[in-house]
Amino acid sequence: MKRVRVSQFITQSAANGKLPPGSMGFPFVGETIEFILNREAIRVPPFVQKRLARYGPIFRTNLFGQKMVVIADSEIAYRLFHQEEEHYKITTPGALFKYMKNLVLPLIGSENLKRTLLREINESTTRRHVQSWASHDVVDVTEATSTMILEYIAKRVISYDESKDARNLKENYNAFVRGIVSIPLNIPGTGYHACLQARDNIRKAIKDIFEERKASKMKHGDFLYCLLEEMRKEDNIMSEALARDIIFGILFGTYETSRLAMTMLVKFLSQHPEVVAELKKEHEAIIESRGFEKSEITWDEYKSMTFTHMVINETIRLGNILPGIFRKVVKDVQIKGYTIPAGWMVMINTTVLHLDPDKYDDPLTFNPWRWGGKEMTKSSKTFMGFGLNPRLCLGADLAKLQMAIFLHYLVLNYRWEFAKGGDIIRRPWLEFPNGLHIKISKYLE
């Protein structure tokens, strides 16, 4: 395609079509500064609101050094997902995605959740950690859930124990997350520089663990062992670099989304005692229906938690755990009379879709009952909390199970309230203080 200089401030046409309306901002930084300022957890960001009012649901911008088209229309988003193999580059090509999916599902798919992981999440992780919260005067929910989630997933993936390992994956993942959405200035003292350093530290830690395990003859029951066995097959397509990237992605994806989801969950419940009462009623009924003393949740009990799943879906929707879905355009694509040139990024703004008053009554209100009678196990044109078919998040089932078990032990055994200044929550991936502080105590027996 012929190169065309596009004005930083005036909409012009690309060589083979008309670009979406919008502005490319300043040289190098584009509109990044305005994008990252004044963001709230439960609102459409002012940056997006202003451009929706001016340009409509498709507009162009430049964020983090990348030319980008933002889409805030459910029909267009749905169409994009169903033609992505042809026009859009995703993290992995279709065949490789299926190969990786087959490798990962034995770790976090529903069958393994039912057979093995349910028990581990029940007793060895969730109950113990929530019980420990009651021994502290004030609990930072973001920090506490971070520790709980990393302990569980890192053990399953690479047999890593944060309390016994000096590599400190948790601190590095936190620094990585904080710098992801920042101005790309690789200068010491900036969030972006810290992000790159943290990424390199994590990659080195994973590489070192790989080398240690390859030299060991001990059989481990974790996901890394499965990857190493796969690499030894003659007809495999698994390189060590790809295997390390898969581990990096699983740890990051599970850690970041789950800790944010659980933080938002506690925030919403703290503000809505009527939801806590309904949850407690459902979980007390589960205990009563057993007919005998049993300490752990069964798979059938988990599947019966109708209102719990309504709460989880509403938390994902309103909390905007996944604020955007990104794709890279590999060849020029036409949408609604506009051309998105090859090499540009497309961002589906799920925040706008999830807070659309035409799709959700009173969208800024936390109302789990809105999910009554609706399909809650799949995505739709208006709910993309875990992506959209055919590219649903592979860890969706694990995330929902973690949240359900967490709710079970929390609402049955504990009461809590905001600590002073506790009703403040900001995105952990922004460079602001983050966290939700509560006081928690166990119900009297």
Side-chain angles (χ1 to χ4, degrees), residues 222-267:
D222 57 16
F223 182 61
L224 174 54
Y225 179 80
C226 297
L227 288 182
L228 292 172
E229 289 296 296
E230 181 70 19
M231 290 169 59
R232 294 187 180 103
K233 296 179 181 178
E234 293 184 3
D235 58 346
N236 84 89
I237 61 172
M238 176 69 65
S239 66
E240 183 170 324
L242 175 59
R244 294 201 302 263
D245 284 345
I246 291 173
I247 286 178
F248 184 102
I250 290 175
L251 291 175
F252 169 67
T254 305
Y255 174 72
E256 174 55 15
T257 56
S258 294
R259 73 170 188 156
L260 179 55
M262 288 189 184
T263 303
M264 297 303 295
L265 182 61
V266 173
K267 172 184 170 61

mmCIF file of all heavy atoms in Angstrom, residues 222-267:
data_model
loop_
_atom_site.group_PDB
_atom_site.id
_atom_site.type_symbol
_atom_site.label_atom_id
_atom_site.label_comp_id
_atom_site.label_asym_id
_atom_site.label_seq_id
_atom_site.Cartn_x
_atom_site.Cartn_y
_atom_site.Cartn_z
ATOM 1 N N ASP A 222 3.270 -30.853 37.628
ATOM 2 C CA ASP A 222 2.783 -29.537 37.241
ATOM 3 C C ASP A 222 2.706 -29.389 35.719
ATOM 4 O O ASP A 222 3.033 -30.301 34.958
ATOM 5 C CB ASP A 222 3.657 -28.440 37.848
ATOM 6 C CG ASP A 222 5.125 -28.579 37.448
ATOM 7 O OD1 ASP A 222 5.424 -29.317 36.484
ATOM 8 O OD2 ASP A 222 5.978 -27.948 38.098
ATOM 9 N N PHE A 223 2.285 -28.208 35.272
ATOM 10 C CA PHE A 223 2.117 -27.955 33.855
ATOM 11 C C PHE A 223 3.462 -27.909 33.134
ATOM 12 O O PHE A 223 3.573 -28.325 31.975
ATOM 13 C CB PHE A 223 1.371 -26.632 33.660
ATOM 14 C CG PHE A 223 1.097 -26.282 32.229
ATOM 15 C CD1 PHE A 223 0.326 -27.108 31.424
ATOM 16 C CD2 PHE A 223 1.611 -25.113 31.687
ATOM 17 C CE1 PHE A 223 0.069 -26.781 30.102
ATOM 18 C CE2 PHE A 223 1.349 -24.777 30.372
ATOM 19 C CZ PHE A 223 0.587 -25.612 29.572
ATOM 20 N N LEU A 224 4.492 -27.404 33.791
ATOM 21 C CA LEU A 224 5.815 -27.367 33.183
ATOM 22 C C LEU A 224 6.288 -28.770 32.821
ATOM 23 O O LEU A 224 6.897 -28.974 31.765
ATOM 24 C CB LEU A 224 6.809 -26.686 34.131
ATOM 25 C CG LEU A 224 8.278 -26.690 33.696
ATOM 26 C CD1 LEU A 224 8.446 -26.097 32.300
ATOM 27 C CD2 LEU A 224 9.129 -25.925 34.709
ATOM 28 N N TYR A 225 6.030 -29.722 33.688
ATOM 29 C CA TYR A 225 6.415 -31.107 33.383
ATOM 30 C C TYR A 225 5.736 -31.582 32.089
ATOM 31 O O TYR A 225 6.361 -32.232 31.249
ATOM 32 C CB TYR A 225 6.029 -32.022 34.553
ATOM 33 C CG TYR A 225 6.358 -33.478 34.308
ATOM 34 C CD1 TYR A 225 7.657 -33.952 34.486
ATOM 35 C CD2 TYR A 225 5.376 -34.376 33.888
ATOM 36 C CE1 TYR A 225 7.959 -35.286 34.253
ATOM 37 C CE2 TYR A 225 5.675 -35.700 33.655
ATOM 38 C CZ TYR A 225 6.967 -36.156 33.834
ATOM 39 O OH TYR A 225 7.268 -37.478 33.594
ATOM 40 N N CYS A 226 4.457 -31.233 31.924
ATOM 41 C CA CYS A 226 3.739 -31.613 30.705
ATOM 42 C C CYS A 226 4.354 -30.959 29.475
ATOM 43 O O CYS A 226 4.470 -31.583 28.410
ATOM 44 C CB CYS A 226 2.270 -31.228 30.818
ATOM 45 S SG CYS A 226 1.380 -32.075 32.142
ATOM 46 N N LEU A 227 4.752 -29.687 29.606
ATOM 47 C CA LEU A 227 5.387 -29.002 28.480
ATOM 48 C C LEU A 227 6.717 -29.639 28.108
ATOM 49 O O LEU A 227 7.032 -29.815 26.921
ATOM 50 C CB LEU A 227 5.607 -27.530 28.815
ATOM 51 C CG LEU A 227 4.381 -26.623 28.856
ATOM 52 C CD1 LEU A 227 4.798 -25.191 29.154
ATOM 53 C CD2 LEU A 227 3.618 -26.666 27.539
ATOM 54 N N LEU A 228 7.508 -29.990 29.112
ATOM 55 C CA LEU A 228 8.798 -30.632 28.840
ATOM 56 C C LEU A 228 8.609 -31.981 28.174
ATOM 57 O O LEU A 228 9.375 -32.352 27.265
ATOM 58 C CB LEU A 228 9.590 -30.772 30.144
ATOM 59 C CG LEU A 228 10.086 -29.458 30.767
ATOM 60 C CD1 LEU A 228 10.680 -29.719 32.147
ATOM 61 C CD2 LEU A 228 11.108 -28.785 29.863
ATOM 62 N N GLU A 229 7.603 -32.720 28.602
ATOM 63 C CA GLU A 229 7.306 -33.996 27.961
ATOM 64 C C GLU A 229 6.866 -33.782 26.512
ATOM 65 O O GLU A 229 7.239 -34.545 25.617
ATOM 66 C CB GLU A 229 6.206 -34.730 28.734
ATOM 67 C CG GLU A 229 6.647 -35.266 30.080
ATOM 68 C CD GLU A 229 7.726 -36.336 29.928
ATOM 69 O OE1 GLU A 229 7.426 -37.404 29.343
ATOM 70 O OE2 GLU A 229 8.868 -36.086 30.364
ATOM 71 N N GLU A 230 6.097 -32.738 26.275
ATOM 72 C CA GLU A 230 5.655 -32.426 24.912
ATOM 73 C C GLU A 230 6.842 -32.068 24.026
ATOM 74 O O GLU A 230 6.903 -32.462 22.855
ATOM 75 C CB GLU A 230 4.666 -31.258 24.952
ATOM 76 C CG GLU A 230 4.106 -30.855 23.610
ATOM 77 C CD GLU A 230 3.152 -31.869 23.015
ATOM 78 O OE1 GLU A 230 2.635 -32.718 23.773
ATOM 79 O OE2 GLU A 230 2.929 -31.812 21.791
ATOM 80 N N MET A 231 7.793 -31.345 24.575
ATOM 81 C CA MET A 231 8.972 -30.937 23.804
ATOM 82 C C MET A 231 9.850 -32.126 23.422
ATOM 83 O O MET A 231 10.582 -32.058 22.438
ATOM 84 C CB MET A 231 9.791 -29.925 24.617
ATOM 85 C CG MET A 231 9.125 -28.567 24.772
ATOM 86 S SD MET A 231 9.953 -27.494 25.995
ATOM 87 C CE MET A 231 11.598 -27.400 25.291
ATOM 88 N N ARG A 232 9.754 -33.204 24.167
ATOM 89 C CA ARG A 232 10.583 -34.381 23.873
ATOM 90 C C ARG A 232 10.016 -35.242 22.743
ATOM 91 O O ARG A 232 10.698 -36.130 22.235
ATOM 92 C CB ARG A 232 10.739 -35.227 25.140
ATOM 93 C CG ARG A 232 11.534 -34.527 26.247
ATOM 94 C CD ARG A 232 11.813 -35.459 27.410
ATOM 95 N NE ARG A 232 12.565 -34.776 28.462
ATOM 96 C CZ ARG A 232 12.043 -34.328 29.586
ATOM 97 N NH1 ARG A 232 10.747 -34.504 29.824
ATOM 98 N NH2 ARG A 232 12.793 -33.710 30.476
ATOM 99 N N LYS A 233 8.785 -34.980 22.355
ATOM 100 C CA LYS A 233 8.184 -35.743 21.270
ATOM 101 C C LYS A 233 8.809 -35.363 19.934
ATOM 102 O O LYS A 233 9.117 -34.199 19.688
ATOM 103 C CB LYS A 233 6.672 -35.492 21.223
ATOM 104 C CG LYS A 233 5.924 -35.980 22.450
ATOM 105 C CD LYS A 233 4.431 -35.679 22.327
ATOM 106 C CE LYS A 233 3.664 -36.139 23.556
ATOM 107 N NZ LYS A 233 2.218 -35.795 23.463
ATOM 108 N N GLU A 234 8.977 -36.347 19.061
ATOM 109 C CA GLU A 234 9.635 -36.103 17.783
ATOM 110 C C GLU A 234 8.831 -35.185 16.872
ATOM 111 O O GLU A 234 9.392 -34.375 16.136
ATOM 112 C CB GLU A 234 9.902 -37.435 17.059
ATOM 113 C CG GLU A 234 10.939 -38.306 17.767
ATOM 114 C CD GLU A 234 11.246 -39.558 16.970
ATOM 115 O OE1 GLU A 234 10.683 -39.695 15.857
ATOM 116 O OE2 GLU A 234 12.038 -40.387 17.438
ATOM 117 N N ASP A 235 7.522 -35.308 16.873
ATOM 118 C CA ASP A 235 6.689 -34.553 15.939
ATOM 119 C C ASP A 235 6.063 -33.307 16.566
ATOM 120 O O ASP A 235 5.083 -32.777 16.056
ATOM 121 C CB ASP A 235 5.588 -35.446 15.379
ATOM 122 C CG ASP A 235 4.704 -36.025 16.487
ATOM 123 O OD1 ASP A 235 5.117 -35.949 17.659
ATOM 124 O OD2 ASP A 235 3.624 -36.555 16.166
ATOM 125 N N ASN A 236 6.635 -32.814 17.668
ATOM 126 C CA ASN A 236 6.014 -31.671 18.342
ATOM 127 C C ASN A 236 6.402 -30.362 17.652
ATOM 128 O O ASN A 236 7.401 -30.297 16.932
ATOM 129 C CB ASN A 236 6.430 -31.628 19.814
ATOM 130 C CG ASN A 236 7.771 -30.943 20.013
ATOM 131 O OD1 ASN A 236 7.837 -29.740 20.193
ATOM 132 N ND2 ASN A 236 8.851 -31.731 19.978
ATOM 133 N N ILE A 237 5.595 -29.329 17.868
ATOM 134 C CA ILE A 237 5.897 -27.998 17.338
ATOM 135 C C ILE A 237 6.228 -27.035 18.469
ATOM 136 O O ILE A 237 6.262 -25.823 18.281
ATOM 137 C CB ILE A 237 4.717 -27.456 16.510
ATOM 138 C CG1 ILE A 237 3.460 -27.324 17.390
ATOM 139 C CG2 ILE A 237 4.446 -28.318 15.302
ATOM 140 C CD1 ILE A 237 2.310 -26.628 16.695
ATOM 141 N N MET A 238 6.485 -27.590 19.631
ATOM 142 C CA MET A 238 6.731 -26.790 20.818
ATOM 143 C C MET A 238 8.219 -26.476 20.967
ATOM 144 O O MET A 238 9.036 -27.366 21.182
ATOM 145 C CB MET A 238 6.236 -27.536 22.058
ATOM 146 C CG MET A 238 6.523 -26.830 23.370
ATOM 147 S SD MET A 238 5.564 -25.322 23.578
ATOM 148 C CE MET A 238 3.908 -26.015 23.653
ATOM 149 N N SER A 239 8.575 -25.207 20.849
ATOM 150 C CA SER A 239 9.940 -24.775 21.125
ATOM 151 C C SER A 239 10.019 -24.336 22.582
ATOM 152 O O SER A 239 8.997 -24.057 23.219
ATOM 153 C CB SER A 239 10.329 -23.605 20.213
ATOM 154 O OG SER A 239 9.555 -22.464 20.526
ATOM 155 N N GLU A 240 11.234 -24.250 23.103
ATOM 156 C CA GLU A 240 11.368 -23.808 24.491
ATOM 157 C C GLU A 240 10.915 -22.367 24.647
ATOM 158 O O GLU A 240 10.295 -21.998 25.649
ATOM 159 C CB GLU A 240 12.814 -23.953 24.955
ATOM 160 C CG GLU A 240 12.995 -23.565 26.425
ATOM 161 C CD GLU A 240 14.361 -23.913 26.973
ATOM 162 O OE1 GLU A 240 14.916 -24.958 26.573
ATOM 163 O OE2 GLU A 240 14.856 -23.130 27.809
ATOM 164 N N ALA A 241 11.196 -21.537 23.639
ATOM 165 C CA ALA A 241 10.774 -20.132 23.705
ATOM 166 C C ALA A 241 9.250 -20.034 23.778
ATOM 167 O O ALA A 241 8.705 -19.247 24.558
ATOM 168 C CB ALA A 241 11.297 -19.370 22.494
ATOM 169 N N LEU A 242 8.557 -20.839 22.963
ATOM 170 C CA LEU A 242 7.099 -20.829 22.993
ATOM 171 C C LEU A 242 6.584 -21.334 24.336
ATOM 172 O O LEU A 242 5.641 -20.772 24.903
ATOM 173 C CB LEU A 242 6.544 -21.697 21.860
ATOM 174 C CG LEU A 242 5.021 -21.886 21.828
ATOM 175 C CD1 LEU A 242 4.310 -20.540 21.707
ATOM 176 C CD2 LEU A 242 4.625 -22.820 20.682
ATOM 177 N N ALA A 243 7.206 -22.386 24.858
ATOM 178 C CA ALA A 243 6.785 -22.937 26.144
ATOM 179 C C ALA A 243 6.938 -21.905 27.257
ATOM 180 O O ALA A 243 6.058 -21.755 28.113
ATOM 181 C CB ALA A 243 7.604 -24.190 26.470
ATOM 182 N N ARG A 244 8.034 -21.151 27.239
ATOM 183 C CA ARG A 244 8.240 -20.125 28.266
ATOM 184 C C ARG A 244 7.214 -19.004 28.130
ATOM 185 O O ARG A 244 6.720 -18.470 29.120
ATOM 186 C CB ARG A 244 9.666 -19.569 28.184
ATOM 187 C CG ARG A 244 10.748 -20.585 28.542
ATOM 188 C CD ARG A 244 12.038 -19.898 28.936
ATOM 189 N NE ARG A 244 12.551 -19.037 27.875
ATOM 190 C CZ ARG A 244 13.483 -19.376 27.000
ATOM 191 N NH1 ARG A 244 14.013 -20.593 27.050
ATOM 192 N NH2 ARG A 244 13.902 -18.524 26.091
ATOM 193 N N ASP A 245 6.881 -18.647 26.880
ATOM 194 C CA ASP A 245 5.867 -17.608 26.657
ATOM 195 C C ASP A 245 4.491 -18.057 27.149
ATOM 196 O O ASP A 245 3.717 -17.256 27.681
ATOM 197 C CB ASP A 245 5.789 -17.257 25.169
ATOM 198 C CG ASP A 245 6.952 -16.392 24.713
ATOM 199 O OD1 ASP A 245 7.657 -15.832 25.580
ATOM 200 O OD2 ASP A 245 7.170 -16.282 23.487
ATOM 201 N N ILE A 246 4.178 -19.333 26.956
ATOM 202 C CA ILE A 246 2.897 -19.861 27.426
ATOM 203 C C ILE A 246 2.811 -19.747 28.944
ATOM 204 O O ILE A 246 1.790 -19.316 29.503
ATOM 205 C CB ILE A 246 2.716 -21.327 26.987
ATOM 206 C CG1 ILE A 246 2.523 -21.410 25.460
ATOM 207 C CG2 ILE A 246 1.519 -21.973 27.699
ATOM 208 C CD1 ILE A 246 2.496 -22.824 24.924
ATOM 209 N N ILE A 247 3.889 -20.114 29.630
ATOM 210 C CA ILE A 247 3.901 -20.028 31.095
ATOM 211 C C ILE A 247 3.784 -18.578 31.557
ATOM 212 O O ILE A 247 3.015 -18.263 32.476
ATOM 213 C CB ILE A 247 5.177 -20.689 31.650
ATOM 214 C CG1 ILE A 247 5.054 -22.210 31.532
ATOM 215 C CG2 ILE A 247 5.420 -20.276 33.102
ATOM 216 C CD1 ILE A 247 6.249 -22.972 31.996
ATOM 217 N N PHE A 248 4.511 -17.679 30.906
ATOM 218 C CA PHE A 248 4.418 -16.259 31.242
ATOM 219 C C PHE A 248 2.969 -15.786 31.111
ATOM 220 O O PHE A 248 2.439 -15.107 31.992
ATOM 221 C CB PHE A 248 5.315 -15.445 30.303
ATOM 222 C CG PHE A 248 5.378 -13.973 30.623
ATOM 223 C CD1 PHE A 248 6.466 -13.447 31.292
ATOM 224 C CD2 PHE A 248 4.348 -13.116 30.255
ATOM 225 C CE1 PHE A 248 6.523 -12.080 31.591
ATOM 226 C CE2 PHE A 248 4.385 -11.762 30.554
ATOM 227 C CZ PHE A 248 5.485 -11.244 31.222
ATOM 228 N N GLY A 249 2.320 -16.162 30.016
ATOM 229 C CA GLY A 249 0.955 -15.722 29.763
ATOM 230 C C GLY A 249 -0.056 -16.297 30.737
ATOM 231 O O GLY A 249 -0.966 -15.588 31.195
ATOM 232 N N ILE A 250 0.084 -17.575 31.075
ATOM 233 C CA ILE A 250 -0.850 -18.200 32.016
ATOM 234 C C ILE A 250 -0.739 -17.550 33.390
ATOM 235 O O ILE A 250 -1.738 -17.201 34.020
ATOM 236 C CB ILE A 250 -0.587 -19.716 32.123
ATOM 237 C CG1 ILE A 250 -0.992 -20.422 30.829
ATOM 238 C CG2 ILE A 250 -1.356 -20.316 33.302
ATOM 239 C CD1 ILE A 250 -0.653 -21.898 30.814
ATOM 240 N N LEU A 251 0.493 -17.358 33.851
ATOM 241 C CA LEU A 251 0.690 -16.752 35.169
ATOM 242 C C LEU A 251 0.151 -15.332 35.202
ATOM 243 O O LEU A 251 -0.569 -14.938 36.126
ATOM 244 C CB LEU A 251 2.179 -16.762 35.529
ATOM 245 C CG LEU A 251 2.809 -18.124 35.811
ATOM 246 C CD1 LEU A 251 4.309 -17.986 36.025
ATOM 247 C CD2 LEU A 251 2.166 -18.785 37.023
ATOM 248 N N PHE A 252 0.472 -14.555 34.168
ATOM 249 C CA PHE A 252 0.020 -13.163 34.141
ATOM 250 C C PHE A 252 -1.492 -13.071 34.012
ATOM 251 O O PHE A 252 -2.155 -12.340 34.760
ATOM 252 C CB PHE A 252 0.686 -12.415 32.982
ATOM 253 C CG PHE A 252 0.076 -11.059 32.731
ATOM 254 C CD1 PHE A 252 0.208 -10.056 33.674
ATOM 255 C CD2 PHE A 252 -0.648 -10.808 31.578
ATOM 256 C CE1 PHE A 252 -0.359 -8.801 33.462
ATOM 257 C CE2 PHE A 252 -1.224 -9.569 31.357
ATOM 258 C CZ PHE A 252 -1.078 -8.566 32.297
ATOM 259 N N GLY A 253 -2.067 -13.800 33.061
ATOM 260 C CA GLY A 253 -3.504 -13.710 32.825
ATOM 261 C C GLY A 253 -4.329 -14.110 34.036
ATOM 262 O O GLY A 253 -5.289 -13.430 34.412
ATOM 263 N N THR A 254 -3.943 -15.199 34.666
ATOM 264 C CA THR A 254 -4.680 -15.681 35.832
ATOM 265 C C THR A 254 -4.500 -14.755 37.020
ATOM 266 O O THR A 254 -5.451 -14.397 37.718
ATOM 267 C CB THR A 254 -4.224 -17.099 36.204
ATOM 268 O OG1 THR A 254 -4.351 -17.952 35.063
ATOM 269 C CG2 THR A 254 -5.057 -17.656 37.342
ATOM 270 N N TYR A 255 -3.275 -14.333 37.245
ATOM 271 C CA TYR A 255 -2.947 -13.507 38.408
ATOM 272 C C TYR A 255 -3.652 -12.156 38.344
ATOM 273 O O TYR A 255 -4.365 -11.762 39.278
ATOM 274 C CB TYR A 255 -1.433 -13.311 38.461
ATOM 275 C CG TYR A 255 -0.945 -12.357 39.522
ATOM 276 C CD1 TYR A 255 -0.987 -12.710 40.867
ATOM 277 C CD2 TYR A 255 -0.418 -11.114 39.182
ATOM 278 C CE1 TYR A 255 -0.527 -11.842 41.849
ATOM 279 C CE2 TYR A 255 0.048 -10.247 40.152
ATOM 280 C CZ TYR A 255 -0.006 -10.612 41.482
ATOM 281 O OH TYR A 255 0.450 -9.753 42.449
ATOM 282 N N GLU A 256 -3.520 -11.456 37.227
ATOM 283 C CA GLU A 256 -4.021 -10.086 37.164
ATOM 284 C C GLU A 256 -5.542 -10.021 37.123
ATOM 285 O O GLU A 256 -6.164 -9.257 37.865
ATOM 286 C CB GLU A 256 -3.429 -9.371 35.939
ATOM 287 C CG GLU A 256 -3.985 -7.983 35.694
ATOM 288 C CD GLU A 256 -3.868 -7.048 36.904
ATOM 289 O OE1 GLU A 256 -3.097 -7.365 37.846
ATOM 290 O OE2 GLU A 256 -4.565 -6.024 36.915
ATOM 291 N N THR A 257 -6.171 -10.820 36.273
ATOM 292 C CA THR A 257 -7.627 -10.728 36.164
ATOM 293 C C THR A 257 -8.320 -11.219 37.431
ATOM 294 O O THR A 257 -9.315 -10.628 37.865
ATOM 295 C CB THR A 257 -8.132 -11.527 34.957
ATOM 296 O OG1 THR A 257 -7.688 -12.889 35.061
ATOM 297 C CG2 THR A 257 -7.619 -10.941 33.660
ATOM 298 N N SER A 258 -7.805 -12.276 38.035
ATOM 299 C CA SER A 258 -8.465 -12.832 39.216
ATOM 300 C C SER A 258 -8.339 -11.915 40.424
ATOM 301 O O SER A 258 -9.293 -11.737 41.188
ATOM 302 C CB SER A 258 -7.882 -14.213 39.548
ATOM 303 O OG SER A 258 -8.199 -15.140 38.533
ATOM 304 N N ARG A 259 -7.184 -11.303 40.611
ATOM 305 C CA ARG A 259 -7.043 -10.439 41.790
ATOM 306 C C ARG A 259 -7.899 -9.186 41.649
ATOM 307 O O ARG A 259 -8.480 -8.701 42.624
ATOM 308 C CB ARG A 259 -5.580 -10.086 42.032
ATOM 309 C CG ARG A 259 -4.963 -9.096 41.050
ATOM 310 C CD ARG A 259 -3.604 -8.633 41.519
ATOM 311 N NE ARG A 259 -3.090 -7.546 40.678
ATOM 312 C CZ ARG A 259 -2.196 -6.675 41.096
ATOM 313 N NH1 ARG A 259 -1.717 -6.743 42.318
ATOM 314 N NH2 ARG A 259 -1.756 -5.732 40.288
ATOM 315 N N LEU A 260 -7.998 -8.653 40.437
ATOM 316 C CA LEU A 260 -8.844 -7.485 40.234
ATOM 317 C C LEU A 260 -10.315 -7.855 40.403
ATOM 318 O O LEU A 260 -11.084 -7.117 41.029
ATOM 319 C CB LEU A 260 -8.600 -6.897 38.845
ATOM 320 C CG LEU A 260 -9.439 -5.667 38.476
ATOM 321 C CD1 LEU A 260 -9.271 -4.555 39.515
ATOM 322 C CD2 LEU A 260 -9.070 -5.169 37.086
ATOM 323 N N ALA A 261 -10.714 -9.005 39.855
ATOM 324 C CA ALA A 261 -12.110 -9.435 39.963
ATOM 325 C C ALA A 261 -12.512 -9.625 41.423
ATOM 326 O O ALA A 261 -13.598 -9.200 41.843
ATOM 327 C CB ALA A 261 -12.320 -10.727 39.186
ATOM 328 N N MET A 262 -11.652 -10.248 42.226
ATOM 329 C CA MET A 262 -11.992 -10.482 43.624
ATOM 330 C C MET A 262 -12.020 -9.185 44.423
ATOM 331 O O MET A 262 -12.835 -9.018 45.339
ATOM 332 C CB MET A 262 -11.014 -11.474 44.238
ATOM 333 C CG MET A 262 -11.223 -12.894 43.738
ATOM 334 S SD MET A 262 -10.241 -14.089 44.663
ATOM 335 C CE MET A 262 -10.621 -15.601 43.764
ATOM 336 N N THR A 263 -11.150 -8.248 44.082
ATOM 337 C CA THR A 263 -11.173 -6.949 44.752
ATOM 338 C C THR A 263 -12.474 -6.223 44.469
ATOM 339 O O THR A 263 -13.127 -5.681 45.378
ATOM 340 C CB THR A 263 -9.975 -6.091 44.298
ATOM 341 O OG1 THR A 263 -8.756 -6.795 44.565
ATOM 342 C CG2 THR A 263 -9.954 -4.766 45.038
ATOM 343 N N MET A 264 -12.876 -6.202 43.196
ATOM 344 C CA MET A 264 -14.134 -5.556 42.831
ATOM 345 C C MET A 264 -15.318 -6.270 43.476
ATOM 346 O O MET A 264 -16.295 -5.637 43.888
ATOM 347 C CB MET A 264 -14.291 -5.546 41.311
ATOM 348 C CG MET A 264 -13.228 -4.753 40.568
ATOM 349 S SD MET A 264 -13.111 -3.026 41.065
ATOM 350 C CE MET A 264 -14.703 -2.407 40.535
ATOM 351 N N LEU A 265 -15.229 -7.580 43.579
ATOM 352 C CA LEU A 265 -16.292 -8.374 44.191
ATOM 353 C C LEU A 265 -16.511 -7.947 45.642
ATOM 354 O O LEU A 265 -17.648 -7.701 46.082
ATOM 355 C CB LEU A 265 -15.916 -9.851 44.114
ATOM 356 C CG LEU A 265 -16.906 -10.881 44.643
ATOM 357 C CD1 LEU A 265 -18.214 -10.817 43.868
ATOM 358 C CD2 LEU A 265 -16.304 -12.285 44.537
ATOM 359 N N VAL A 266 -15.429 -7.834 46.398
ATOM 360 C CA VAL A 266 -15.541 -7.410 47.799
ATOM 361 C C VAL A 266 -16.068 -5.977 47.889
ATOM 362 O O VAL A 266 -16.884 -5.662 48.764
ATOM 363 C CB VAL A 266 -14.180 -7.544 48.512
ATOM 364 C CG1 VAL A 266 -14.244 -6.948 49.926
ATOM 365 C CG2 VAL A 266 -13.758 -9.010 48.583
ATOM 366 N N LYS A 267 -15.628 -5.126 47.011
ATOM 367 C CA LYS A 267 -16.116 -3.739 47.007
ATOM 368 C C LYS A 267 -17.627 -3.695 46.804
ATOM 369 O O LYS A 267 -18.358 -3.050 47.571
ATOM 370 C CB LYS A 267 -15.429 -2.938 45.901
ATOM 371 C CG LYS A 267 -16.020 -1.540 45.702
ATOM 372 C CD LYS A 267 -15.383 -0.825 44.531
ATOM 373 C CE LYS A 267 -16.136 0.459 44.198
ATOM 374 N NZ LYS A 267 -16.149 1.429 45.299
#
